[in-house]
Amino acid sequence: MEYDIASPTLSEQGSQRMAWAGRRMQVLATLRQRFTTEKPLEGRTIAACLHVTAETANLMLALRDAGARPILCASNPLSTQDDVAAALVAEGISVFAIRGEDSTSYYDHLNAALDLEPDVTMDDGADLATLLHTSRTDITPVGSTEETTTGVIRLKAMAQDGTLRLPVVAVNDSATKHLFDNRYGTGQSALDGIIRASNVLIAGLTMVVVGYGNCGRGVADRADGHGAKVVVVEVDPVRALMAAMDGYQVMTADAAAAVGDIFITVTGNKHVLRGRHFERMKDSAIISNAGHFDIELDLVALGGMSTEKRQVRNNLEEYILEDGRRILVAAEGRLVNLGAAEGHPADVMDMSFSNQALAAEWLIANEGKLDPGIYTLADEIDRHVATLKLEALGGALETLTPEQEAYLTGWQEGT
Ligand SMILES: NC(=O)c1ccc[n+]([C@@H]2O[C@H](COP(=O)([O-])OP(=O)(O)OC[C@H]3O[C@@H](n4cnc5c(N)ncnc54)[C@H](O)[C@@H]3O)[C@@H](O)[C@H]2O)c1
């Protein structure tokens, strides 16, 4: 079996963490039972470029239960949990990922996964899909799946200009993914990352959330719960108005830069905090990012404005500006929830990864019937996943009476 990981000796700790995560992934467990008997992915190779975490490991086991040969490489050089990588290798699953690897090693690992000629590729950020459309046109999988907002945006741009040559399931577009993973998952884990990196008391500080999409809303909500004064920066008037009516101050980035103690970007956009903002920041302001790529904070500009850079804690670097002010950067500007914490809790990845597994099953079941394009999973799948998760949380659904059903589908009854 081929693999490239930091150290196989870490497998015991990784197995423990995988097992704990597995206990909190009840929807995936239900799916695994069906997969074990039906084997919908029998004999298929699935290459997943996802964060190498305990939750992803459980998805790999589900794919194996379905009869597939899963292969895992990292979707971010800083998010790999080396112990989990070791535990998967001990399970006989090929993993190509090492925490902190450089860009060359990162892409060597993606190519190693593609060398195994996958039938389906899974992405979190469209890096495998991009290779499949540039340097690796020698491989043509049945289809691909995409986990995150930024990846879906990239793939839609490929479809728009006619470049896309594969059917792709936008898993992010399932309601049971983006309304929960992006909001509650990022909300909790991004705060966890900032706290682990800095150990500051959030209560009483001003926290600036740049971007009020699903992720930003979750982060703002959790920061508010910790007692922060939350300021939101948005470019979309509807989202900005939502933030205002949710009770937050809405400001321009310039104005927010001067008042913030902690900043977090969650836009999927480039250089949303840059030189002009760093110039206005208070001494010891902490800046972080939870958007997909490490381009939301312009750290090149910050480096250029600084006389010195030093590590002050794990995952926290201090840049000293010419006037003596210090700006602290968490997790090198990469996803703070994965770089400085453990990523989303298993409870929410349960739904995201159940959707991933169902997307792979759907692509194989529809092999040869799908044109290149972006697809979303059917509403019934969302309803099924939500029902199972609700049951796991101890909730119960009300049902419509026949009279109510008739009322909701008719038009005759009015005032
Ligand atoms: N950290 C994680 O684990 C995690 C999880 C899910 C998604 N993501 C990533 O987080 C990012 C945001 O995802 P989302 O689902 O919230 O996206 P979204 O599209 O729902 O929200 C992004 C928001 O940012 C705003 N925005 C864009 N440019 C801006 C700017 N210059 N200043 C202020 N606001 C700006 C947009 O108007 C939008 O409201 C994406 O890159 C996504 O891939 C990260």
Side-chain angles (χ1 to χ4, degrees):
M1 187 192 65
E2 296 172 55
Y3 64 87
D4 188 19
I5 60 170
S7 169
T9 58
L10 302 170
S11 66
E12 201 178 315
Q13 183 187 311
S15 301
Q16 268 182 6
R17 295 185 45 235
M18 270 165 65
W20 172 246
R23 280 170 56 176
R24 320 246 359 130
M25 301 177 85
Q26 302 92 341
V27 181
L28 194 65
T30 308
L31 209 55
R32 283 179 71 175
Q33 279 172 5
R34 177 170 72 74
F35 279 1
T36 303
T37 46
E38 293 178 9
K39 302 277 180 215
L41 302 174
E42 188 71 61
R44 301 305 187 129
T45 299
I46 313 247
C49 179
L50 300 171
H51 300 296
V52 180
T53 64
E55 295 75 30
T56 305
N58 278 281
L59 170 61
M60 297 299 106
L61 298 182
L63 298 174
R64 191 178 64 180
D65 288 346
R69 176 191 181 193
I71 299 156
L72 182 59
C73 56
S75 58
N76 183 305
L78 206 59
S79 63
T80 298
Q81 296 169 2
D82 289 323
D83 55 350
V84 169
L88 280 172
V89 167
E91 289 275 349
I93 292 174
S94 290
V95 181
F96 303 97
I98 300 173
R99 183 181 163 96
E101 60 192 329
D102 63 17
S103 178
T104 308
S105 161
Y106 177 80
Y107 278 103
D108 283 351
H109 284 156
L110 266 61
N111 278 303
L114 292 180
D115 288 343
L116 298 170
E117 301 185 5
D119 299 286
V120 173
T121 59
M122 290 183 172
D123 263 317
D124 185 338
D127 280 347
L128 282 181
T130 301
L131 289 181
L132 290 169
H133 288 80
T134 50
S135 57
R136 296 307 304 266
T137 49
D138 54 312
I139 311 280
T140 304
V142 174
S144 298
T145 70
E146 174 52 54
E147 171 80 3
T148 198
T149 318
T150 286
V152 173
I153 290 170
R154 289 177 84 186
L155 291 158
K156 283 184 177 161
M158 285 166 94
Q160 190 75 31
D161 73 9
T163 311
L164 190 70
R165 66 184 184 100
L166 298 169
V168 181
V169 181
V171 172
N172 187 70
D173 290 356
S174 289
T176 48
K177 198 285 181 179
H178 66 267
L179 294 180
F180 301 91
D181 168 315
N182 301 27
R183 186 166 174 187
Y184 302 99
T186 311
Q188 178 167 317
S189 63
L191 259 287
D192 185 15
I194 292 169
I195 292 168
R196 288 198 209 192
S198 65
N199 199 28
V200 294
L201 182 75
I202 305 286
L205 296 183
T206 297
M207 178 122 168
V208 177
V209 180
V210 189
Y212 201 67
N214 289 304
C215 293
R217 203 166 181 197
V219 173
D221 188 34
R222 292 304 177 252
D224 185 40
H226 275 268
K229 288 171 256 173
V230 176
V231 170
V232 169
V233 177
E234 244 303 341
V235 290
D236 179 305
V238 176
R239 295 258 170 104
L241 181 62
M242 276 166 64
M245 292 215 179
D246 284 340
Y248 306 128
Q249 283 201 65
V250 178
M251 296 184 187
T252 62
D254 279 350
V259 297
D261 297 298
I262 304 175
F263 295 80
I264 179 159
T265 53
V266 258
T267 65
N269 205 346
K270 192 175 174 182
H271 295 170
V272 293
L273 290 180
R274 50 191 184 274
R276 57 184 290 147
H277 307 124
F278 305 140
E279 271 166 17
R280 290 171 163 80
M281 284 182 189
K282 296 186 207 170
D283 180 36
S284 290
I286 297 172
I287 60 174
S288 62
N289 167 52
H292 187 77
F293 286 118
D294 60 342
I295 51 166
E296 304 215 7
L297 305 173
D298 186 355
L299 295 184
V300 175
L302 183 61
M305 296 163 68
S306 307
T307 54
E308 199 188 325
K309 179 172 112 173
R310 62 191 185 102
Q311 188 82 29
V312 289
R313 286 170 59 87
N314 268 347
N315 296 311
L316 197 65
E317 275 183 319
E318 182 168 77
Y319 288 66
I320 302 178
L321 306 189
E322 278 163 10
D323 62 7
R325 274 177 308 125
R326 294 156 296 181
I327 293 185
L328 295 132
V329 179
E332 300 172 17
R334 297 188 185 278
L335 295 162
V336 70
N337 56 325
L338 284 137
E342 294 173 61
H344 294 3
D347 310 61
V348 77
M349 293 317 292
D350 187 20
M351 292 188 281
S352 308
F353 285 160
S354 294
N355 281 309
Q356 281 283 4
L358 290 164
E361 181 185 33
W362 183 80
L363 282 168
I364 292 298
N366 288 286
E367 183 171 7
K369 295 185 218 152
L370 302 169
D371 290 328
I374 312 288
Y375 295 83
T376 33
L377 291 174
D379 273 357
E380 302 88 78
I381 293 187
D382 256 337
R383 296 172 68 81
H384 179 61
V385 170
T387 304
L388 289 176
K389 192 72 199 173
L390 183 71
E391 279 169 11
L393 290 173
L397 272 182
E398 176 67 322
T399 44
L400 291 170
T401 63
E403 183 193 20
Q404 289 166 345
E405 244 181 300
Y407 177 75
L408 290 176
T409 49
W411 57 269
Q412 290 90 345
E413 236 182 296
T415 28

